[in-house]
């Protein structure tokens, strides 16, 4: 056989193989489209949603909100779910997008099973979830209250009434949300607990509703650094934040403040427990009274994790997308606490800490005025005017 015949034979085999591969791809694509095109018949939204609406308990178990709350939320987010006409997700109803996202956040499962249930491609689900999370955060932004003097005074009154702790305008805490380490990230997201994470720093009121959230700090940065990099942390620590005028406790002018645990430093605007192995009776009572206020943030984060399970396991997506999901879960928490608290709220009773043995040496020595403020509050809660009748029993006196 001459060289021309050999070349023609090779060319024929090449194009034949290419045609076979093309047909296989076409068949796979056709099968995939057949499955996805059945979403309006067999998909979870088409086949189950209306039945769940008629069974309120089942609806709540899947979406962690009532039917009326879902409908109200859909009305709020619908204008913000702008459909991209060039996207394959055009044909997906907006209500189905919201249902899919809420169920994903509530159940905390992988993205693929949710996509299969709704007969939507995993690629489209990867676009829908962050889009809906952004819309939720914008639509419910009003559920995160402003930080002004009037709001601070209202929160302080609530803490006094519900927790019997004076001058407290919020409880601050944090949660390390596990994520899959991004490529080439080194140890930036690796925290002291031994896993990759981003940090949620949150402040809540006495009703366990978030009044401030900051999501996205590297897990390696720690609680205090994450707080200090947030806008409210910078303003508070630098003394640029406007607070209500100091009140008088036991004849001494006392500022308004946040309550925190040992992860945060003692500051004029941040009160934390006494740290010692040999606490006096008065110090133990102060720690108990402060912990009653601080447990509000422990309750809030506990309810958040229980109701929106997507923030519990390792989030298998890019940190930017994880940040959107966590932010959406926080504003949904506030929305549900406001609209349907009786069914949404869980009973959370974290251990109230009376003793604390961590050392302050690695956080710097507290200045004298914050110590003075804490001692004055200690004296007040141990006085006849500021004490409660059960504090000795609960403080282990």
């Amino acid at each position: 056989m001459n060289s021309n015949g050999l070349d023609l034979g090779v060319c024929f085999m090449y194009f034949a193989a290419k045609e076979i591969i093309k047909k296989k791809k076409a068949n796979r694509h056709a099968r995939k489209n057949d499955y996805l095109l059945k979403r309006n018949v067999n998909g979870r939204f088409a086949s189950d949603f209306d039945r769940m609406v008629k069974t309120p308990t089942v609806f709540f178990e899947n979406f962690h909100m009532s039917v009326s709350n879902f409908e109200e939320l859909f009305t709020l987010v619908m204008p913000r779910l702008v459909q991209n006409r060039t996207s394959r997700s055009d044909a997906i109803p907006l209500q189905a997008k919201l249902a899919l996202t809420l169920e994903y956040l509530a159940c905390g499962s992988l993205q693929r099973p949710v996509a299969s249930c709704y007969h939507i491609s995993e690629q489209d689900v990867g676009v829908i979830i962050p889009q809906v999370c952004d819309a939720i955060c914008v639509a419910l932004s009003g559920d995160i209250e402003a930080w002004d003097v009037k709001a601070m005074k209202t929160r302080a009154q609530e803490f006094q009434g519900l927790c019997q702790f004076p001058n407290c305008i919020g409880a601050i805490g944090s949660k390390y949300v596990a994520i899959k380490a991004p490529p080439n990230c080194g140890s930036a997201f690796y925290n002291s607990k031994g896993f990759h994470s981003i940090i949620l720093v949150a402040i809540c009121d006495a009703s366990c509703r978030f009044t401030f959230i900051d999501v996205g700090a590297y897990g390696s940065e720690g609680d205090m650094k994450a707080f200090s990099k947030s806008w409210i942390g910078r303003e508070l620590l630098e003394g640029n934040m406007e607070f209500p005028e100091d009140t008088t406790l036991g004849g001494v002018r006392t500022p308004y403040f946040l309550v925190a645990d040992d992860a945060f430093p003692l500051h004029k605007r941040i009160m934390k427990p006494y740290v010692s192995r040999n606490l006096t009776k008065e110090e133990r009572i102060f720690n108990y009274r402060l912990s009653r206020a601080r447990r509000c943030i422990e309750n809030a984060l506990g309810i958040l994790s229980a109701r929106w399970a997507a923030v519990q396991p390792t989030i298998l997506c890019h940190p930017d997308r994880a940040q959107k999901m966590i932010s959406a879960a926080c504003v949904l928490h506030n929305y549900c606490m406001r609209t349907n608290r009786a069914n949404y709220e869980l009973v959370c009773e974290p251990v109230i800490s009376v003793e604390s043995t961590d050392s302050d040496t690695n956080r710097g020595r507290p200045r004298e005025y914050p110590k003075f403020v804490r001692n004055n509050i200690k004296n007040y809660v141990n006085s006849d005017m500021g004490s409660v009748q059960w504090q000795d029993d609960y403080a282990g006196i």
Side-chain angles (χ1 to χ4, degrees):
M1 182 182 292
N2 57 31
S3 60
N4 289 335
L6 181 62
D7 290 342
L8 289 173
V10 172
C11 289
F12 176 79
M13 293 174 63
Y14 170 77
F15 284 110
K18 189 174 181 180
E19 189 66 23
I20 292 172
I21 294 173
K22 184 178 179 180
K23 288 181 179 180
K24 287 183 177 180
K25 288 184 177 179
N27 289 337
R28 285 200 303 268
H29 186 67
R31 289 196 299 270
K32 181 179 179 181
N33 282 342
D34 288 341
Y35 177 78
L36 297 180
L37 289 174
K38 292 179 181 178
R39 77 166 66 99
N40 294 329
V41 178
N42 299 327
R44 179 165 174 77
F45 182 76
S47 61
D48 293 338
F49 188 80
D50 288 339
R51 287 200 292 266
M52 287 191 290
V53 168
K54 296 176 182 178
T55 313
T57 55
V58 175
F59 189 94
F60 187 89
E61 288 171 357
N62 285 272
F63 301 103
H64 289 176
M65 63 177 61
S66 66
V67 175
S68 60
N69 291 153
F70 180 93
E71 292 172 348
E72 179 186 359
L73 178 61
F74 177 67
T75 302
L76 295 172
V77 302
M78 181 177 62
R80 295 169 176 83
L81 293 179
V82 180
Q83 292 177 308
N84 184 355
R85 294 301 176 186
T86 62
S87 171
R88 292 175 298 172
S89 62
D90 288 347
I92 302 172
L94 297 181
Q95 201 173 28
K97 292 182 178 181
L98 178 60
L100 179 152
T101 303
L102 289 178
E103 192 160 14
Y104 174 76
L105 293 175
C107 69
S109 95
L110 296 175
Q111 186 172 291
R112 186 181 297 276
V114 177
S116 298
C117 288
Y118 281 81
H119 284 242
I120 300 174
S121 71
E122 190 175 5
Q123 292 77 10
D124 284 340
V125 170
V127 174
I128 290 170
I129 289 175
Q131 180 192 40
V132 176
C133 285
D134 283 340
I136 290 172
C137 289
V138 174
L140 299 181
S141 59
D143 277 274
I144 303 290
E145 295 180 355
W147 277 79
D148 54 39
V149 171
K150 181 179 179 181
M152 291 183 194
K153 285 185 176 181
T154 300
R155 292 170 198 154
Q157 291 172 359
E158 291 177 353
F159 271 102
Q160 177 65 52
L162 295 175
C163 304
Q164 293 78 49
F165 203 70
N167 287 32
C168 178
I169 60 171
I172 182 172
S174 62
K175 177 178 176 60
Y176 288 77
V177 182
I179 62 168
K180 182 181 178 181
N184 305 316
C185 70
S187 59
F189 293 93
Y190 196 76
N191 61 43
S192 59
K193 302 176 186 291
F195 58 90
H196 295 274
S197 65
I198 56 177
I199 303 176
L200 163 62
V201 177
I203 301 174
C204 78
D205 59 18
S207 299
C208 300
R209 293 181 61 198
F210 297 120
T211 57
F212 168 78
I213 57 170
D214 182 83
V215 190
Y218 296 147
S220 62
E221 292 181 320
D223 301 28
M224 185 54 203
K225 187 173 182 181
F227 174 67
S228 63
K229 290 174 65 176
S230 67
W231 74 265
I232 199 170
R234 291 192 303 270
E235 294 291 306
L236 185 148
L237 296 173
E238 293 173 4
N240 298 326
M241 192 169 184
E242 184 179 6
F243 282 84
E245 186 176 350
D246 295 354
T247 61
T248 301
L249 295 179
V252 179
R253 290 180 62 84
T254 307
Y256 287 84
F257 50 80
L258 301 170
V259 292
D261 60 12
D262 291 327
F264 297 87
L266 184 64
H267 185 272
K268 173 184 177 180
R269 301 296 184 183
I270 303 176
M271 291 292 107
K272 57 181 284 187
Y274 284 96
V275 179
S276 175
R277 294 184 181 276
N278 299 302
L279 296 174
T280 66
K281 170 186 174 182
E282 290 76 15
E283 289 171 344
R284 289 173 65 86
I285 290 175
F286 170 85
N287 283 3
Y288 162 70
R289 295 287 297 276
L290 182 142
S291 292
R292 293 188 74 245
R294 188 178 61 81
R295 69 177 176 177
C296 293
I297 189 62
E298 303 294 339
N299 281 350
L301 292 173
I303 297 169
L304 174 74
S305 298
R307 287 306 191 191
W308 307 105
V311 303
Q312 283 187 10
T314 301
I315 301 178
L316 301 177
C317 63
H318 192 275
D320 290 342
R321 185 182 296 181
Q323 181 177 350
K324 293 180 180 182
M325 291 165 50
I326 298 166
S327 299
C330 289
V331 295
L332 284 169
H333 166 88
N334 276 14
Y335 172 73
C336 292
M337 289 288 279
R338 172 173 61 84
T339 59
N340 192 17
R341 178 167 186 153
N343 292 323
Y344 174 81
E345 188 178 24
L346 297 173
V347 177
C348 295
E349 290 294 338
V351 176
I352 298 179
S353 175
V354 175
E355 297 186 1
S356 182
T357 57
D358 288 350
S359 173
D360 271 334
T361 56
N362 63 336
R363 301 187 181 95
R365 180 172 296 177
R367 295 184 178 181
E368 294 303 314
Y369 184 65
K371 289 183 179 180
F372 170 79
V373 172
R374 183 169 64 177
N375 286 335
N376 179 56
I377 300 170
K378 176 196 69 176
N379 294 334
Y380 175 78
V381 299
N382 280 279
S383 67
D384 292 338
M385 182 180 297
S387 63
V388 292
Q389 60 183 2
W390 65 83
Q391 65 185 27
D392 286 2
D393 295 334
Y394 281 88
I397 305 301

